Short mmCIF file of all heavy atoms in Angstrom, two decimals:
data_model
loop_
_atom_site.label_atom_id
_atom_site.label_comp_id
_atom_site.label_asym_id
_atom_site.label_seq_id
_atom_site.Cartn_x
_atom_site.Cartn_y
_atom_site.Cartn_z
N ALA A 304 -41.57 54.85 -9.65
CA ALA A 304 -42.20 53.53 -9.61
C ALA A 304 -43.59 53.58 -10.24
O ALA A 304 -44.44 52.76 -9.92
CB ALA A 304 -42.27 53.00 -8.18
N GLY A 305 -43.81 54.52 -11.10
CA GLY A 305 -45.14 54.71 -11.65
C GLY A 305 -46.12 55.07 -10.54
O GLY A 305 -45.80 55.88 -9.66
N ARG A 306 -47.29 54.48 -10.59
CA ARG A 306 -48.30 54.74 -9.56
C ARG A 306 -48.07 53.91 -8.30
O ARG A 306 -48.92 53.90 -7.40
CB ARG A 306 -49.69 54.43 -10.12
CG ARG A 306 -50.18 55.44 -11.15
CD ARG A 306 -50.65 56.72 -10.50
NE ARG A 306 -51.14 57.70 -11.46
CZ ARG A 306 -51.59 58.90 -11.13
NH1 ARG A 306 -51.58 59.28 -9.86
NH2 ARG A 306 -52.01 59.74 -12.05
N ASN A 307 -46.93 53.25 -8.20
CA ASN A 307 -46.64 52.38 -7.06
C ASN A 307 -45.72 53.02 -6.03
O ASN A 307 -45.15 52.32 -5.21
CB ASN A 307 -46.00 51.08 -7.56
CG ASN A 307 -46.89 50.32 -8.51
OD1 ASN A 307 -47.99 49.93 -8.14
ND2 ASN A 307 -46.45 50.14 -9.74
N GLY A 308 -45.57 54.34 -6.10
CA GLY A 308 -44.69 55.00 -5.15
C GLY A 308 -44.91 56.49 -5.16
O GLY A 308 -45.83 57.00 -5.81
N PRO A 309 -44.08 57.23 -4.45
CA PRO A 309 -44.23 58.68 -4.39
C PRO A 309 -44.10 59.33 -5.76
O PRO A 309 -43.43 58.81 -6.66
CB PRO A 309 -43.07 59.11 -3.47
CG PRO A 309 -42.72 57.90 -2.70
CD PRO A 309 -42.98 56.74 -3.61
N ALA A 310 -44.75 60.48 -5.89
CA ALA A 310 -44.65 61.28 -7.11
C ALA A 310 -44.01 62.62 -6.77
O ALA A 310 -44.05 63.07 -5.61
CB ALA A 310 -46.04 61.49 -7.71
N PHE A 311 -43.45 63.25 -7.79
CA PHE A 311 -42.71 64.49 -7.56
C PHE A 311 -42.91 65.43 -8.75
O PHE A 311 -43.17 65.00 -9.87
CB PHE A 311 -41.22 64.20 -7.39
CG PHE A 311 -40.91 63.18 -6.34
CD1 PHE A 311 -40.93 61.83 -6.65
CD2 PHE A 311 -40.64 63.57 -5.04
CE1 PHE A 311 -40.67 60.87 -5.68
CE2 PHE A 311 -40.39 62.63 -4.06
CZ PHE A 311 -40.41 61.27 -4.38
N ILE A 312 -42.76 66.72 -8.46
CA ILE A 312 -42.53 67.70 -9.51
C ILE A 312 -41.07 68.08 -9.41
O ILE A 312 -40.62 68.68 -8.43
CB ILE A 312 -43.44 68.94 -9.35
CG1 ILE A 312 -44.90 68.55 -9.54
CG2 ILE A 312 -43.03 70.02 -10.35
CD1 ILE A 312 -45.24 68.00 -10.94
N ALA A 313 -40.30 67.67 -10.40
CA ALA A 313 -38.87 67.91 -10.42
C ALA A 313 -38.55 69.20 -11.15
O ALA A 313 -39.32 69.66 -12.00
CB ALA A 313 -38.15 66.74 -11.10
N THR A 314 -37.42 69.78 -10.82
CA THR A 314 -36.95 70.99 -11.51
C THR A 314 -35.82 70.61 -12.46
O THR A 314 -35.37 69.46 -12.52
CB THR A 314 -36.45 72.04 -10.52
OG1 THR A 314 -35.17 71.62 -10.02
CG2 THR A 314 -37.42 72.23 -9.35
N ASP A 315 -35.32 71.60 -13.17
CA ASP A 315 -34.17 71.37 -14.05
C ASP A 315 -32.98 70.80 -13.27
O ASP A 315 -32.19 70.03 -13.82
CB ASP A 315 -33.75 72.68 -14.73
CG ASP A 315 -34.79 73.19 -15.71
OD1 ASP A 315 -35.14 72.45 -16.64
OD2 ASP A 315 -35.24 74.34 -15.55
N ASN A 316 -32.85 71.19 -12.02
CA ASN A 316 -31.69 70.74 -11.25
C ASN A 316 -31.74 69.24 -10.96
O ASN A 316 -30.69 68.62 -10.74
CB ASN A 316 -31.59 71.52 -9.94
CG ASN A 316 -31.05 72.91 -10.15
OD1 ASN A 316 -30.38 73.19 -11.14
ND2 ASN A 316 -31.34 73.82 -9.23
N PHE A 317 -32.92 68.65 -10.96
CA PHE A 317 -33.00 67.19 -10.81
C PHE A 317 -32.24 66.51 -11.95
O PHE A 317 -31.53 65.52 -11.75
CB PHE A 317 -34.46 66.74 -10.79
CG PHE A 317 -34.62 65.25 -10.68
CD1 PHE A 317 -34.59 64.62 -9.46
CD2 PHE A 317 -34.80 64.46 -11.82
CE1 PHE A 317 -34.73 63.24 -9.35
CE2 PHE A 317 -34.93 63.09 -11.73
CZ PHE A 317 -34.90 62.47 -10.49
N TYR A 318 -32.39 67.06 -13.14
CA TYR A 318 -31.74 66.46 -14.30
C TYR A 318 -30.25 66.80 -14.37
O TYR A 318 -29.48 66.11 -15.04
CB TYR A 318 -32.50 66.84 -15.56
CG TYR A 318 -33.90 66.24 -15.50
CD1 TYR A 318 -34.99 67.01 -15.08
CD2 TYR A 318 -34.10 64.89 -15.74
CE1 TYR A 318 -36.24 66.44 -14.94
CE2 TYR A 318 -35.35 64.33 -15.61
CZ TYR A 318 -36.42 65.10 -15.21
OH TYR A 318 -37.66 64.52 -15.06
N VAL A 319 -29.84 67.83 -13.65
CA VAL A 319 -28.41 68.06 -13.46
C VAL A 319 -27.83 66.96 -12.56
O VAL A 319 -26.74 66.44 -12.82
CB VAL A 319 -28.14 69.45 -12.87
CG1 VAL A 319 -26.65 69.63 -12.58
CG2 VAL A 319 -28.61 70.54 -13.83
N LEU A 320 -28.58 66.59 -11.52
CA LEU A 320 -28.15 65.47 -10.68
C LEU A 320 -28.05 64.19 -11.50
O LEU A 320 -27.17 63.35 -11.27
CB LEU A 320 -29.12 65.28 -9.51
CG LEU A 320 -29.17 66.41 -8.47
CD1 LEU A 320 -30.24 66.11 -7.43
CD2 LEU A 320 -27.81 66.59 -7.81
N LYS A 321 -28.95 64.02 -12.46
CA LYS A 321 -28.89 62.83 -13.31
C LYS A 321 -27.68 62.84 -14.23
O LYS A 321 -27.27 61.78 -14.73
CB LYS A 321 -30.17 62.69 -14.14
CG LYS A 321 -31.37 62.17 -13.34
CD LYS A 321 -32.51 61.77 -14.25
CE LYS A 321 -32.16 60.57 -15.11
NZ LYS A 321 -33.29 60.10 -15.92
N ALA A 322 -27.09 63.99 -14.46
CA ALA A 322 -25.84 64.03 -15.22
C ALA A 322 -24.73 63.35 -14.43
O ALA A 322 -23.76 62.85 -15.00
CB ALA A 322 -25.45 65.47 -15.54
N TYR A 323 -24.87 63.32 -13.11
CA TYR A 323 -23.88 62.64 -12.26
C TYR A 323 -24.08 61.12 -12.33
O TYR A 323 -23.12 60.35 -12.32
CB TYR A 323 -24.04 63.12 -10.82
CG TYR A 323 -22.75 63.13 -10.03
CD1 TYR A 323 -22.07 64.32 -9.78
CD2 TYR A 323 -22.21 61.96 -9.54
CE1 TYR A 323 -20.89 64.33 -9.06
CE2 TYR A 323 -21.02 61.96 -8.82
CZ TYR A 323 -20.37 63.14 -8.59
OH TYR A 323 -19.19 63.15 -7.88
N ASN A 324 -25.32 60.70 -12.36
CA ASN A 324 -25.68 59.28 -12.49
C ASN A 324 -27.06 59.26 -13.13
O ASN A 324 -27.99 59.88 -12.64
CB ASN A 324 -25.71 58.61 -11.12
CG ASN A 324 -26.04 57.13 -11.18
OD1 ASN A 324 -26.99 56.71 -11.82
ND2 ASN A 324 -25.24 56.33 -10.50
N GLU A 325 -27.22 58.54 -14.25
CA GLU A 325 -28.43 58.63 -15.05
C GLU A 325 -29.66 58.02 -14.42
O GLU A 325 -30.76 58.12 -14.96
CB GLU A 325 -28.20 57.99 -16.41
CG GLU A 325 -27.92 56.50 -16.35
CD GLU A 325 -27.65 55.91 -17.72
OE1 GLU A 325 -28.17 56.47 -18.71
OE2 GLU A 325 -26.95 54.90 -17.81
N SER A 326 -29.52 57.38 -13.28
CA SER A 326 -30.66 56.75 -12.62
C SER A 326 -31.55 57.79 -11.96
O SER A 326 -31.08 58.68 -11.23
CB SER A 326 -30.17 55.76 -11.57
OG SER A 326 -31.20 55.41 -10.68
N ASP A 327 -32.87 57.67 -12.16
CA ASP A 327 -33.82 58.55 -11.48
C ASP A 327 -33.73 58.39 -9.97
O ASP A 327 -33.79 59.38 -9.23
CB ASP A 327 -35.25 58.24 -11.94
CG ASP A 327 -35.52 58.69 -13.36
OD1 ASP A 327 -34.98 59.72 -13.77
OD2 ASP A 327 -36.30 58.00 -14.06
N VAL A 328 -33.63 57.15 -9.49
CA VAL A 328 -33.64 56.96 -8.04
C VAL A 328 -32.34 57.45 -7.41
O VAL A 328 -32.32 57.87 -6.25
CB VAL A 328 -33.93 55.49 -7.65
CG1 VAL A 328 -35.33 55.09 -8.07
CG2 VAL A 328 -32.90 54.54 -8.20
N TYR A 329 -31.25 57.43 -8.16
CA TYR A 329 -30.01 58.03 -7.64
C TYR A 329 -30.21 59.52 -7.39
O TYR A 329 -29.91 60.04 -6.30
CB TYR A 329 -28.86 57.82 -8.63
CG TYR A 329 -27.61 58.59 -8.23
CD1 TYR A 329 -26.64 58.01 -7.44
CD2 TYR A 329 -27.43 59.92 -8.63
CE1 TYR A 329 -25.51 58.73 -7.06
CE2 TYR A 329 -26.30 60.64 -8.25
CZ TYR A 329 -25.35 60.04 -7.46
OH TYR A 329 -24.24 60.76 -7.07
N ALA A 330 -30.70 60.22 -8.40
CA ALA A 330 -30.91 61.67 -8.24
C ALA A 330 -31.91 61.95 -7.14
O ALA A 330 -31.76 62.91 -6.37
CB ALA A 330 -31.38 62.27 -9.57
N LEU A 331 -32.95 61.12 -7.03
CA LEU A 331 -33.94 61.30 -5.98
C LEU A 331 -33.33 61.04 -4.61
O LEU A 331 -33.62 61.74 -3.64
CB LEU A 331 -35.13 60.37 -6.22
CG LEU A 331 -36.27 60.45 -5.21
CD1 LEU A 331 -36.84 61.87 -5.13
CD2 LEU A 331 -37.37 59.45 -5.58
N PHE A 332 -32.47 60.05 -4.50
CA PHE A 332 -31.78 59.76 -3.24
C PHE A 332 -30.99 60.99 -2.79
O PHE A 332 -31.06 61.39 -1.63
CB PHE A 332 -30.85 58.56 -3.43
CG PHE A 332 -30.18 58.08 -2.17
CD1 PHE A 332 -30.60 56.91 -1.56
CD2 PHE A 332 -29.13 58.78 -1.59
CE1 PHE A 332 -29.99 56.45 -0.39
CE2 PHE A 332 -28.51 58.33 -0.43
CZ PHE A 332 -28.94 57.17 0.17
N VAL A 333 -30.25 61.57 -3.71
CA VAL A 333 -29.43 62.74 -3.38
C VAL A 333 -30.31 63.90 -2.91
O VAL A 333 -30.06 64.53 -1.89
CB VAL A 333 -28.56 63.15 -4.58
CG1 VAL A 333 -27.92 64.52 -4.36
CG2 VAL A 333 -27.49 62.11 -4.85
#
Side-chain angles (χ1 to χ4, degrees):
R306 288 284 181 181
N307 299 300
F311 306 86
I312 295 297
T314 75
D315 293 303
N316 283 338
F317 178 85
Y318 296 98
V319 175
L320 294 176
K321 284 192 66 175
Y323 211 103
N324 182 311
E325 63 182 333
S326 164
D327 288 325
V328 295
Y329 172 92
L331 181 58
F332 186 106
V333 168

